[in-house]
Amino acid sequence: MDPFSTAVRSALTLGFTASGVLSGTNIAISLGIIPAILPAPKNLLIQEWRTLYRKGSMIAPPFALFAFANLAFVAYSLFQSDNNGSCWQGIAIAAITTIAIVPFTLIFAQPTIDKLMAYHDKKTDLSEREVKDLVQEWSNYNAVRAMFPLAATGVGLWSALA
């Protein structure tokens, strides 16, 4: 039995594509968009950041979940096949690495997000420097977050092609 059935190949392609798009989007935000908006005055900057954050928070989690589900399906399918080798292990690692973006965000980036949202909602006052520093800090966390799906794509492709 060919462990790479059409369903498995399709799920593998979809999982890697979603993971790659997620990584690329986060890299573009941290390396392109944030540096472009950072010079703005704090009130404009917080509006731009909030819009970017809200749109990203509606797009990124479904992409991470979609990539995880497809890669987990592939890993499970390969594990169950008669001729699976160790390929399934790398794909399983890729699935877990992709979804690891969620706890990383909640543990590390969420306090920064909370501070920025509190300022946006006028619950606290921050200086110009504090707002810019917090947006840059969020951008740094976002760049690290981009490495999870990037690593997942690399590990998964390596395992699938090996």
Side-chain angles (χ1 to χ4, degrees), residues 17-37:
T17 300
S19 187
V21 167
L22 180 59
S23 179
T25 300
N26 283 349
I27 289 169
I29 289 168
S30 289
L31 297 181
I33 296 172
I34 294 299
I37 67 171

Side-chain angles (χ1 to χ4, degrees), residues 29 48 52 61 75 94 110 123 129 159:
I29 289 168
E48 292 172 337
L52 180 66
Q110 195 62 51
K123 294 179 182 173
R129 182 79 264 148
S159 297

Side-chain angles (χ1 to χ4, degrees), residues 34-121:
I34 294 299
I37 67 171
L38 209 52
K42 72 178 185 176
N43 291 332
L44 178 58
L45 176 59
I46 197 66
Q47 293 299 326
E48 292 172 337
W49 173 83
R50 184 182 178 274
T51 299
L52 180 66
Y53 173 76
R54 288 285 187 213
K55 288 183 184 290
S57 68
M58 289 186 293
I59 295 167
F63 263 86
L65 186 59
F66 183 76
F68 168 76
N70 277 282
L71 295 173
F73 166 75
V74 171
Y76 180 75
S77 296
L78 293 176
F79 175 75
Q80 292 296 315
S81 75
D82 295 332
N83 184 19
N84 64 40
S86 61
C87 176
W88 73 271
Q89 295 167 339
I91 305 295
I93 290 169
I96 293 165
T97 304
T98 297
I99 204 68
I101 197 171
V102 174
F104 177 85
T105 301
L106 295 174
I107 294 167
F108 296 102
Q110 195 62 51
T112 303
I113 294 165
D114 291 344
K115 289 175 190 172
L116 286 165
M117 292 304 268
Y119 174 72
H120 175 271
D121 297 340

